Amino acid sequence: MRFARAIRGLLGLTALAVPLAAAVAQSPDERKVMDLTNQSRAEAGAAPLQWDAALAAAARAHALRMAQEGPIAHRYGGEPGLPERAATAGARFSLIEENIAVGQSPEQIHDGWMRSPGHHDNLLNPKIDRIGVALVPARGVLYAVADYSQSVAALTPAEVESKVAAAVALRGVTLLSGQAAQQAVDGARRFCALDEGKSAATLGLKASFLMRWQSPEIAKLPPELAQALASGQYTQAAVGACDPKGPADTPQTAFTAYRVAVLLY
């Protein structure tokens, strides 16, 4: 996650009372910022960004806060960080970035970002595919926030299990069926949720091969699992999904990832 800040002529004025409001429709100026962004990306050989209403809602909430505070910043006292703000607004992502600025017009704001290495890198990052922009007028200028992300589909545990099961079946291994299948899936789910450092032996699983992983690209099987499936040693499998895990200082509600386990028999 990268944050960029390029601010020319900061306005260190008294706070302005701007009412917080729900996200509104994309304004012509906000559309202009997105169009200029995609024009620059096309010139750099990067794919265009799609508008994301959730990112735009998060950007608007922060732009309103910037207009209230006066001097602009990526985070103010008592305000959640960018990942939490975006997740709360409904965005799902594996990467998120933010540009902020004060300017007279969309063109001036975009030009300033393109001239700043940090902003430039965020805006042209080939990994991102979504954008949300907010421009809030106050004190005769525009307070601008652009949030960019690499989006991730919001899947239920059942959908995760289905996608991984399909990928496993394509490798020639049959998924367990009947009562044995439900028991095996329950075991895979328990193994998936097992805390790191704890032995899977405590679960009493009878699988010959056990693997779990966490990734935003759930349909892409890890090389170790792909090798096991191709070995011919296993004929049946069970798949179980669970909540993602991570360091205590990394809120799992912010970055979208999927955690899944596969048992081979």
Side-chain angles (χ1 to χ4, degrees), residues 9-10 19 38 53 60 67 72 85 89 103 106 108-109 124 141 167 173 183 197 228 243 248:
L10 273 182
N38 281 334
R60 174 159 294 275
I72 67 176
R85 296 199 309 267
Q108 185 188 58
I109 290 166
L124 298 183
V141 295
V173 175
Q183 293 175 344
D243 291 337

Side-chain angles (χ1 to χ4, degrees), residues 2 5 14 34 36 41 72 76 79 104 109 124-125 137-138 153 166 181 189 201 238 241 244 246 254:
R2 295 178 298 172
R5 179 178 178 181
T14 57
M34 186 179 77
L36 290 169
R41 289 178 65 84
I72 67 176
Y76 297 100
E79 182 186 33
Q104 298 289 336
I109 290 166
L124 298 183
N125 187 344
R189 290 169 178 166

